[in-house]
Amino acid sequence: MHRLFGRGKPQAPPPSLTDVISNTDSRAESIEKKIAKLDSELVKYKEQRNKMRDGPQKRMVTQRAMAVLKQKKTYENQLMQLQQQSFNMEQANFATQSIKDTQETVAAMKAGVKQMKQEFKKINIDEIEDVQDDLEDMLEDHSEIQDVLSRSYAAPDVDEADLEAELDALGDWEPDLGESNLLDEAMAPAVPNSEPGSAIAQPTPGGVDEFGLPEVPMTN
């Protein structure tokens, strides 16, 4: 069959939106360069017209400038169309990519749910409850052991009413600080009334010295 009819040429895959957008953008860039070149020509013609007097030469330069300006307008319309086409294709490409991302997300979620179900099969709820019950029983036993170890032995049997009465009596008791204050004042030395470096006051007969102590008579 192939010898009679020959083989058909393999069809090339259709271009993707990304490739078409890239080609469109490159065409738009080429037109932008042409518009920039025409702008430079218009500037030159404008400078020439400003320096020339009215006459045939000035009219000829004006006609050339008008022709260049028409070309620029044509290129600007083409550039606007290409930019709009590129924008529309980018929107379509974005929507297509979003749909693909959504499909991948759903597939990943399904795989995750399937994996979770397989892992849950390895878990026995009854075993977990048994472990929790055993742990609770062990903690209760540990608490009972601590209570037994902290038990007091040979403690005096005291009536609670007597303890409360003694506690109330402690609240009314206040220490008597009168005698201790008098004793402290008697034992404390008197404050010297002379400044440092001044002459020591001479003792007076039958009196007290500068420290408030009885004077001892001096014997020759």
Side-chain angles (χ1 to χ4, degrees):
M1 294 294 293
H2 295 299
R3 292 179 179 178
L4 295 176
F5 299 101
R7 294 185 179 182
K9 295 181 179 180
Q11 296 181 354
S16 62
L17 280 175
T18 304
D19 296 335
V20 177
I21 292 171
S22 178
N23 294 333
T24 304
D25 291 340
S26 63
R27 290 171 59 191
E29 291 177 358
S30 176
I31 293 177
E32 287 178 350
K33 292 179 181 179
K34 292 180 180 180
I35 293 174
K37 184 178 180 181
L38 293 177
D39 286 333
S40 61
E41 291 182 5
L42 288 173
V43 171
K44 293 179 181 179
Y45 287 140
K46 183 178 179 181
E47 292 177 352
Q48 290 178 4
R49 289 180 72 255
N50 293 334
K51 297 177 181 179
M52 297 174 65
R53 295 181 180 180
D54 295 337
Q57 293 182 354
K58 186 175 183 180
R59 286 194 297 270
M60 183 178 60
V61 172
T62 302
Q63 290 177 358
R64 292 179 180 176
M66 294 293 292
V68 172
L69 186 59
K70 289 179 181 179
Q71 292 180 6
K72 178 183 176 183
K73 293 296 183 181
T74 303
Y75 284 136
E76 287 178 347
N77 291 332
Q78 294 177 2
L79 178 62
M80 186 180 300
Q81 293 175 358
L82 291 175
Q83 290 177 344
Q84 186 63 39
Q85 292 176 8
S86 178
F87 175 77
N88 294 335
M89 287 186 292
E90 286 178 354
Q91 294 298 313
N93 191 22
F94 175 78
T96 304
Q97 189 63 37
S98 298
I99 294 173
K100 291 181 180 179
D101 295 339
T102 303
Q103 293 175 353
E104 292 178 357
T105 302
V106 173
M109 293 176 65
K110 289 182 179 179
V113 171
K114 184 178 180 181
Q115 185 67 24
M116 289 178 63
K117 289 181 180 180
Q118 293 178 356
E119 295 299 330
F120 268 115
K121 290 180 181 179
K122 301 177 183 179
I123 300 175
N124 191 343
I125 302 298
D126 295 333
E127 292 180 357
I128 297 176
E129 291 180 352
D130 294 340
V131 171
Q132 289 293 104
D133 293 338
D134 293 341
L135 180 60
E136 185 177 358
D137 294 338
M138 292 176 63
L139 292 176
E140 290 180 357
D141 294 340
H142 179 266
S143 178
E144 292 179 0
I145 293 172
Q146 295 299 321
D147 292 339
V148 172
L149 292 176
S150 61
R151 186 182 302 168
S152 60
Y153 300 96
D157 189 8
V158 183
D159 190 4
E160 293 184 358
D162 295 338
L163 293 176
E164 290 180 1
E166 185 175 354
L167 182 61
D168 294 336
L170 289 175
D172 297 334
W173 177 80
E174 293 182 358
D176 188 6
L177 301 178
E179 295 180 358
S180 61
N181 289 338
L182 293 176
L183 181 59
D184 293 340
E185 291 178 358
M187 295 297 294
V191 178
N193 53 7
S194 61
E195 297 180 357
S198 61
I200 300 175
Q202 295 295 328
T204 58
V208 294
D209 57 9
E210 67 273 12
F211 299 107
L213 300 176
E215 291 185 345
V216 179
M218 301 295 291
T219 57
N220 294 329

